[in-house]
């Protein structure tokens, strides 16, 4: 079982940080369909702006999203596609190709029977999560829910955490944190359905990581004060619809204290 993991965070006008770490669990034999479907979504909604005059670009905005370079290499990112002006356009006259891309991507993940995970928190500083000496509580809670889900739904399988390669040197630090927790901590040693060494990939070429990025952004946005929140409840409902609920746990939850 592959579990792609990404995060999103933002400080509100009062300085409170809203942080979401999200995971997308998908069986290996279904992952090929996710990659292929993401490729088709790009073909459907994207067009290269290379060589197009500005008036041609403007004429395409209702049906296509013009991008620089090869559309097949376009990275789907929640923060970029879910800009407020694009969401407003979706709710207004016509539709937004940017929102259509997200809707198609989430529907594809649902058809591939993906499961969503999410740990929402309000840390004092985001840097404290990545630079902590021990395994951050956000990761611990995420791993705990993945482990319980595996015991319930896939008792004969193992879950492989798959992270986006980030900031130089962070990969090995996070890998050590997770490995040491799973091997040395009493609670961590009971999480026997987690492969203790995370895999690291390039999100620009990996559909699973891009879905996790979109889910993380939608979950983070749901934490913001109403006045500062983008109107993405229609997307939030899809994300929560892929959540797993087990005996004594939900796979999407907010930490009361970090």
């Amino acid at each position: 079982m592959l579990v792609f993991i990404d995060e999103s965070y933002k400080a509100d006008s009062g300085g409170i940080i809203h942080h979401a770490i999200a995971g997308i669990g998908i069986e290996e034999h279904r992952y090929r369909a996710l990659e292929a479907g993401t490729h088709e979504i790009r073909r459907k909604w994207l067009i290269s702006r290379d060589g197009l005059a500005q008036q041609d670009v403007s004429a395409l905005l209702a049906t296509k999203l013009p991008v620089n370079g090869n559309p097949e290499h376009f990275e789907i990112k929640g923060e970029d596609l879910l800009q407020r002006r694009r969401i407003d356009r979706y709710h207004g006259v016509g539709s937004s190709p940017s929102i259509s891309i997200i809707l198609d991507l989430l529907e594809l993940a649902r058809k591939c029977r993906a499961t969503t995970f999410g740990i929402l928190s309000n840390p004092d500083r985001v840097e404290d999560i990545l630079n902590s000496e021990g395994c951050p509580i956000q990761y611990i809670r995420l791993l705990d829910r993945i482990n319980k889900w595996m015991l319930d739904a896939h008792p004969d399988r193992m879950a492989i955490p798959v992270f986006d390669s980030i900031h130089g040197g962070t990969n090995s630090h996070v890998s050590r944190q997770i490995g040491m927790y799973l091997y040395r901590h009493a609670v961590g040693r009971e999480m026997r359905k987690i492969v203790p060494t995370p895999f690291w990939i390039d999100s620009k070429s990996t559909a699973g990581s891009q879905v996790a990025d979109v889910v993380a952004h939608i979950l983070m946005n749901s934490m913001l004060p109403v006045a500062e929140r983008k109107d993405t409840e229609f997307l939030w409902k899809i994300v929560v619809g892929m959540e797993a609920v087990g005996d004594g746990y939900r796979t999407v939850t907010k930490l009361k204290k970090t």
Side-chain angles (χ1 to χ4, degrees), residues 62 70 103-104 114 131 133 137-138 182 185 197 213 217:
N70 187 342
L103 286 167
D104 282 1
N131 299 327
E133 293 184 6
I137 188 65
Q138 290 86 352
L182 293 176
H185 195 280
T197 304
D213 173 89
H217 185 80

Side-chain angles (χ1 to χ4, degrees), residues 1-12:
M1 183 66 63
L2 302 172
V3 183
F4 295 88
I5 299 169
D6 211 328
E7 65 178 339
S8 180
Y9 57 88
K10 184 177 182 179
D12 65 26

Side-chain angles (χ1 to χ4, degrees), residues 21-180:
I21 181 169
I24 288 292
I26 185 170
E27 295 179 86
E28 294 91 335
H29 70 278
R30 300 186 191 279
Y31 184 68
R32 183 182 178 91
L34 187 72
E35 281 281 4
T38 303
H39 177 74
E40 290 305 314
I41 289 171
R42 292 191 187 94
R43 289 170 58 91
K44 178 181 178 181
W45 294 110
L46 302 180
I47 187 170
S48 175
R49 64 170 64 242
D50 295 350
L52 293 178
Q54 183 56 47
Q55 61 266 28
D56 296 328
V57 171
S58 300
L60 287 168
L61 292 179
T63 57
K64 294 285 186 178
L65 177 64
V67 297
N68 296 325
N70 187 342
E72 294 183 6
H73 300 161
F74 178 78
E75 181 179 6
I76 298 173
K77 291 187 68 67
E79 183 177 9
D80 295 338
L81 295 180
L82 294 176
Q83 295 177 22
R84 192 179 300 274
R85 62 184 176 83
R86 289 172 170 168
I87 297 171
D88 291 344
R89 179 177 174 82
Y90 175 80
H91 288 302
V93 178
S95 62
S96 165
S98 297
I99 304 303
S100 297
I101 289 171
I102 299 298
L103 286 167
D104 282 1
L105 187 69
L106 292 177
E107 175 61 14
L108 173 64
R110 188 192 65 79
K111 287 182 177 179
C112 292
R113 301 183 187 180
T115 299
T116 55
F117 299 85
I119 300 298
L120 317 182
S121 65
N122 300 109
D124 293 331
R125 300 192 315 156
V126 174
E127 293 82 359
D128 293 340
I129 298 175
L130 291 177
N131 299 327
S132 63
E133 293 184 6
C135 192
I137 188 65
Q138 290 86 352
Y139 289 9
I140 291 173
R141 293 291 181 262
L142 185 72
L143 294 172
D144 175 61
R145 279 151 182 77
I146 294 171
N147 188 71
K148 288 177 177 176
W149 172 64
M150 293 298 293
L151 288 170
D152 284 352
H154 306 281
D156 299 326
R157 307 280 297 281
M158 295 287 288
I160 302 173
V162 185
F163 286 84
D164 178 22
S165 293
I166 50 179
H167 319 295
T170 303
N171 297 12
S172 58
H173 180 62
V174 172
S175 293
R176 282 195 297 269
Q177 287 177 323
I178 292 176
M180 290 177 66

